[in-house]
Amino acid sequence: MKNGQLQILVCSANLGNAQPDEESMALWLPEDGQCNQVLQYPAKYPVRDQFSTFEDFVDEDKFDLIVVGMQEATFDPPTEEDLNDKDAASTESGTQSKRKPRKGKKGIAKAVNDLSSYTASRDHIKSSMVRRSVVDRMGETGRPNLADVQGKESGQTGESAMIAAVVDSNWDLGTFVLHEMMTKRLPSYERIVSYQRGQMRLEIFVYHQKRDIEVDVMYTKAQNTGRAGLANKGGIIAELIVNKRTRLSFLTAHLEAHEGAAKYQMRCSSLSDILGGAKPSSTLHDASLTSHHCFVMGDLNFRTELPAYAHGHHEAEHRQKLRALVEERDWNTLNQADELQKALRVKDCLVGFKTLFCNFPPTFKVERSPGYSYIEKRRPSYTDRILWKSNHLLENSVRPLLYEPVDDFKSSDHKPIRAAFAIKLNEAAATARPKMARRRSAMQMAGDFLHMNHNPLAHSSIHRERLYLFVSDVTVNMGAVGNSLPNPYISMVSIPEEAIKSSTSRLERLKRKIFPCFSNYSSIMSDEWGGPVERTPQGWPHSPVQKQTAQPLWEGEVFHTEVKTFYNDGRPLDMTGALVFFTVMDCKNSKLVPSASDNVLGSFSYNLGVLLKDFRPPGELRQNQANASERRTSRRGSIMNLFRRDESSQQFTADSRKTDNQPLHEQDPVKTITVDAPIFKNGLENGRIRLTLDAWWLTESTAKAILGTSGSASTIQRPSNSSPAESARMSGRMDAPQTKRRMGGDSNLGASHTFSTRRDPNMVKSTKFSKSTSLR
C-alpha cells in the first residue's frame, strides 16, 4: 500500500470445464503477485484516458489484494490413461483417434453427482480448517498430497481414509488441483475466501506480509439464476472490510448465454437477482449500496450486435462483419456494438457502475490455443468483463491502472481478463465524544485560579453535544410499481448500526415477550435527549405511512434522529466511512403500521462520514481554540513564571492578552443539505427522492427544550416564515458564547448529486415552545 492506496488485481476466467495448464496459469496470475509483471509501461492494451504513468502511484512490489473469479471451473484432472491417449493421438497422421471412454460413475449415480455439483455450495476455507485438524493429528503440516486424495478410490483405511472423507465432502480433485496451482503462483499470499457454488468459484488472496493492512471477511453468499434453480448460472458475492473503515465487495457471475433480445433481458434480470439474493437475510440493502466500492467480474455473456443486424437477420453475414472488424482492430465500432455498454447507458442493469473501454480483441469464442482464432458459428464478443461502482462522494477514490485479456491462455474457449486498481482508503475521521474529567495537580489548579481571567473559556466546562438529523420536505417519484400501488414510508438506516439504530428498552422487550403480536410492528421509543421517536421493529426511525401512492409527499419536518458518535461509557464510535440510507419502504400492514415484513422499494446512500469530517461540534471547535490559547499562556500559567519580570515575558503576556480578546471563530450551528438523487434497489434505478436534511449539533438543554423528553413529541413551534435551518440557528444561540462569529461557506459535498446549503440573513428573534404541536 502506497500513500494510503490499496493496490488490487481483479482476475476473471471461464475455464471451459478443463484443467488449465501451468503455462496458461502463469500468464494469467503474476508470479507471487509481482506488480511489475502486470503493470508495464507502455502497456500492450493501454487504459483509455490514462493521465499518468504507473510509477507515480503504484508500488514496485506486490499487489495488496488479488481477487480471482472463475466460471465453468469444475473438471476432473486428466488421468494417466488420458495422457497416453493424447500422446497417441498426436503421433497419428490424418484422422485423429477416438478417445476411449473413462471408467467412472454411471447412470443414476452420475446424475446425482452432476445435480449436486449444480446446486451445492462449498466454503473451502471452512473445510480446510477441518482438514488441517485431521492432518495435524497425523503429525503433518500443510495439505495432503494428491496420492492421499486419490486414495479414497483404492479402499484406504485409517487416517488416510479420514483425509479422503474430508476431501470428498468439499474437495473434489479439480478443487484440489486449482488450489495447488494458485498457491504455487502466490506463495506469499493468504487465501481468505475460497467459495464454490456449482461451477462458479471466488478466491481472494491477501499479501500477508503487509502489516499496515488488516482485512476481515464480513460474509460470502451465492445466488443461483439457472433454470430450475441450478447453479450452472448465478453469482457469488464476498464483502470485506479493510482496516475497519473501508468496505469492498466482489461479485463473480456467470450469466445466460446466446444471442437475442430475450437472452439479453435474462442477463440483466439475473444481475439484479444476484445482488438481491446474495446478501445476509437481516440486511435491507445489497452490496452495491453497503460497500464503499463494489466490483463485478465474470462471464457476463453480453454479446456484440451491429445496428444493421439488430433483428437477427443474416446471422452468418453478421458474424463475418464482426470478424472483419476484429482484423481491422476497429475497437471503437465493436465497443459501440457491445450489449453491456448499451445496458449501462439505458440503465437496464448495474446502474451507476463503470466499465472501461475494451481496447483489445473480443475474448469469446476462440479455439483452445494461443492467440485469437474465433469459432465460426459464434459472434466475437466481449463476454468476460470487469466493472466497479463507488459509493456517494467516493467516485474519485478508484483509479484504474490496467484492463486487458490474456492473449495466449490456451486451455479454454474464453480468454481470461484482468484489471488493476488503486483504491484510496477512507481516512480516519475525527471522533466526537464528551469531554472527560482530568485530574490536575495543586500547582496547576493554583495557576488556573490566578490566571482564569486571561482565558475564562479555556477552563470552563465544555457542553456535551450530540448530532441530530432532521428530515423535511420529502418527495418521492417511483417508477414501475407493479399492479398495486404501494403504501410508502421513509426509513433511515445507518452503517454502523449503532449510529442511528435504537435498542428496545426492558419494558418494551417484556411487552413483546408477553404479547408476541406486537413484536413485528413499529413502536415509539424515547431517545435520551430527543424525546419520543417512531421506529420500526428493527429500531430505525421512520416517517408516517402514506396510503396507496407512487408519488408520496411529506411537507415540513418529517422525522428526526440522533446520530451517536460515542458509546454510553464515553468511548468514541468510529464513524469513518459511515453511511446513512434514506430507504423507501412499502408497508404491507393493513393498519398502515410499519412491520418487519415490509419490502424495500429503493434507497439512496449518503456519506455521513464526510459530513462528520467537515462539520465538527461547536464545543469542540471552542475547546481547540481554548487549548491553543492555553498553550500560548502556559508560561504565564506557571507559578514560577509569576515572579519573572523580564521584558520578553512582559511582551509575551501583552501579545497573549491581545489574542484572547479577539472573538472566537465558529461555524454555523446548522448545516442544511438539499438532496435530489435516484434511489436504487439491486442495481436498478427505481425512482428519485428529494428531501432537505438539517444536521444540528445540540447540547442537552437545547435538545430537551426543543424536542421534549416525555409525552407527545414536544417540538419547537416556528413562525410560518421561518425555515428549519433558521429556527435551528436561532435556538442554537442559547448555548453559544456572546463572542460567537458565523463562518460562511460550506465544503463541497459532491458533484454527482445536487447538494446545496441554504442561507438566510433574516434570523428569527424569538422562540416559542409548545408541547401540543408536532414537529414541523
Side-chain angles (χ1 to χ4, degrees), residues 216-241:
D216 296 318
V217 181
M218 301 179 68
Y219 69 86
T220 306
K221 295 286 185 179
Q223 176 69 23
N224 300 351
T225 60
R227 297 173 186 251
L230 297 181
N232 60 327
K233 298 293 188 293
I236 305 171
I237 298 179
E239 188 167 5
L240 318 176
I241 183 167

Side-chain angles (χ1 to χ4, degrees), residues 516-536:
C517 58
F518 294 106
S519 60
N520 292 326
Y521 301 103
S522 66
S523 60
I524 297 178
M525 304 179 187
S526 295
D527 291 341
E528 184 178 354
W529 292 358
V533 177
E534 288 192 6
R535 294 184 179 270
T536 64

Side-chain angles (χ1 to χ4, degrees), residues 437-671:
R438 295 180 301 175
R439 293 182 177 272
R440 301 179 66 82
S441 66
M443 297 290 287
Q444 290 174 325
M445 293 175 65
D448 294 344
F449 177 78
L450 292 174
H451 300 285
M452 185 178 296
N453 293 330
H454 296 302
N455 191 7
L457 183 61
H459 305 291
S460 62
S461 60
I462 301 301
H463 290 290
R464 181 178 178 179
E465 296 163 308
R466 297 184 182 182
L467 180 65
Y468 279 80
L469 299 180
F470 296 83
V471 181
S472 60
D473 301 329
V474 182
T475 302
V476 178
N477 293 317
M478 286 177 283
V481 292
N483 298 327
S484 60
L485 292 175
N487 301 316
Y489 65 94
I490 308 295
S491 179
M492 187 184 292
V493 183
S494 68
I495 295 178
E497 292 186 351
E498 300 89 340
I500 290 179
K501 189 173 184 179
S502 177
S503 58
T504 57
S505 62
R506 293 183 179 179
L507 180 61
E508 184 71 20
R509 291 195 297 268
L510 180 61
K511 184 182 73 172
R512 294 186 178 190
K513 186 175 182 180
I514 299 176
F515 304 101
C517 58
F518 294 106
S519 60
N520 292 326
Y521 301 103
S522 66
S523 60
I524 297 178
M525 304 179 187
S526 295
D527 291 341
E528 184 178 354
W529 292 358
V533 177
E534 288 192 6
R535 294 184 179 270
T536 64
Q538 296 86 355
W540 305 114
H542 68 86
S543 70
V545 181
Q546 295 203 7
K547 186 176 181 180
Q548 294 185 347
T549 176
Q551 295 180 341
L553 170 65
W554 292 269
E555 295 182 347
E557 289 189 2
V558 182
F559 61 93
H560 70 275
T561 184
E562 176 195 346
V563 178
K564 298 178 181 178
T565 57
F566 52 85
Y567 296 98
N568 293 333
D569 58 1
R571 292 181 297 112
L573 176 62
D574 191 356
M575 298 293 287
T576 305
L579 299 173
V580 169
F581 302 94
F582 297 98
T583 304
V584 184
M585 306 289 295
D586 181 14
C587 182
K588 295 299 184 181
N589 182 264
S590 59
K591 297 182 180 180
L592 301 183
V593 178
S595 64
S597 60
D598 295 343
N599 297 329
V600 175
L601 297 176
S603 299
F604 165 70
S605 60
Y606 178 77
N607 197 324
L608 184 61
V610 174
L611 173 66
L612 289 171
K613 185 178 179 181
D614 297 335
F615 185 51
R616 306 304 305 152
E620 179 180 317
L621 299 179
R622 294 195 296 268
Q623 176 65 20
N624 292 339
Q625 293 192 356
N627 292 338
S629 180
E630 185 178 12
R631 286 192 296 270
R632 288 194 300 268
T633 60
S634 60
R635 290 180 61 184
R636 301 188 278 122
S638 173
I639 292 293
M640 296 301 298
N641 285 339
L642 294 176
F643 302 99
R644 295 180 181 176
R645 293 291 183 263
D646 57 359
E647 295 182 0
S648 61
S649 177
Q650 294 176 5
Q651 182 65 32
F652 179 84
T653 303
D655 294 339
S656 300
R657 289 173 182 267
K658 182 179 179 180
T659 304
D660 293 340
N661 292 331
Q662 293 179 356
L664 290 176
H665 215 49
E666 197 169 309
Q667 66 182 1
D668 197 327
V670 179
K671 183 182 288 290

Side-chain angles (χ1 to χ4, degrees), residues 36-338:
N36 55 14
Q37 288 193 8
V38 177
L39 302 176
Q40 300 179 359
Y41 188 82
K44 182 177 181 180
Y45 300 112
V47 175
R48 286 286 184 93
D49 301 326
Q50 186 170 317
F51 51 86
S52 179
T53 60
F54 299 127
E55 290 79 3
D56 291 338
F57 46 84
V58 177
D59 285 341
E60 298 179 357
D61 193 8
K62 305 177 187 298
F63 287 101
D64 302 309
L65 204 67
I66 297 180
V67 183
V68 180
M70 292 174 281
Q71 309 82 42
E72 294 186 9
T74 57
F75 54 86
D76 291 328
T79 63
E80 186 176 349
E81 182 181 359
D82 294 330
L83 297 176
N84 292 335
D85 290 342
K86 183 177 180 180
D87 293 338
S90 62
T91 58
E92 292 184 0
S93 59
T95 60
Q96 294 183 349
S97 62
K98 295 183 179 181
R99 181 178 176 180
K100 297 181 181 179
R102 184 188 305 174
K103 296 181 181 180
K105 298 180 180 179
K106 298 181 180 180
I108 298 177
K110 184 178 185 302
V112 171
N113 182 70
D114 292 342
L115 182 62
S116 175
S117 67
Y118 283 140
T119 57
S121 295
R122 297 178 174 90
D123 191 335
H124 302 301
I125 294 296
K126 293 181 180 179
S127 62
S128 65
M129 296 178 183
V130 179
R131 188 182 71 253
R132 281 197 297 267
S133 66
V134 175
V135 175
D136 289 342
R137 289 201 299 270
M138 298 176 61
E140 301 176 2
T141 58
R143 300 175 178 81
N145 56 39
L146 189 59
D148 292 328
V149 178
Q150 294 175 334
K152 60 183 180 181
E153 299 178 357
S154 60
Q156 288 186 357
T157 59
E159 296 290 352
S160 298
M162 293 178 64
I163 296 177
V166 173
V167 173
D168 188 49
S169 62
N170 268 325
W171 287 71
D172 55 79
L173 296 181
T175 298
F176 185 83
V177 170
L178 275 177
H179 274 236
E180 288 296 313
M181 295 180 73
M182 287 187 287
T183 301
K184 183 178 179 180
R185 292 297 302 169
L186 306 171
S188 299
Y189 286 76
E190 177 185 359
R191 191 193 313 263
I192 61 172
V193 172
S194 180
Y195 197 90
Q196 177 185 357
R197 170 64 69 90
Q199 296 185 345
M200 301 174 293
R201 299 179 189 268
L202 180 61
E203 311 280 332
I204 300 180
F205 300 85
V206 175
Y207 183 43
H208 59 74
Q209 296 182 12
K210 284 290 186 71
R211 297 183 179 180
D212 57 342
I213 297 177
E214 179 184 356
V215 181
D216 296 318
V217 181
M218 301 179 68
Y219 69 86
T220 306
K221 295 286 185 179
Q223 176 69 23
N224 300 351
T225 60
R227 297 173 186 251
L230 297 181
N232 60 327
K233 298 293 188 293
I236 305 171
I237 298 179
E239 188 167 5
L240 318 176
I241 183 167
V242 181
N243 292 347
K244 306 295 184 183
R245 296 188 178 105
T246 305
R247 288 182 298 279
L248 307 176
S249 60
F250 300 93
L251 185 159
T252 179
H254 190 195
L255 305 182
E256 186 71 20
H258 304 299
E259 294 82 4
K263 301 295 185 181
Y264 167 82
Q265 293 297 334
M266 291 180 66
R267 287 189 281 272
C268 293
S269 61
S270 294
L271 285 169
S272 181
D273 293 340
I274 294 169
L275 284 171
K279 64 180 182 181
S281 57
S282 60
T283 303
L284 293 176
H285 309 99
D286 61 86
S288 66
L289 289 174
T290 60
S291 302
H292 295 109
H293 308 286
C294 179
F295 295 85
V296 175
M297 74 202 83
D299 179 9
L300 305 186
N301 261 320
F302 285 98
R303 306 305 168 99
T304 51
E305 186 175 78
L306 296 172
Y309 305 92
H311 299 289
H313 302 301
H314 310 290
E315 183 62 25
E317 183 180 347
H318 191 185
R319 294 194 295 264
Q320 184 178 359
K321 177 63 176 177
L322 290 171
R323 286 194 294 272
L325 292 173
V326 175
E327 293 178 0
E328 297 169 5
R329 301 179 66 86
D330 189 354
W331 310 141
N332 289 324
T333 303
L334 288 170
N335 275 263
Q336 292 173 4
D338 175 36

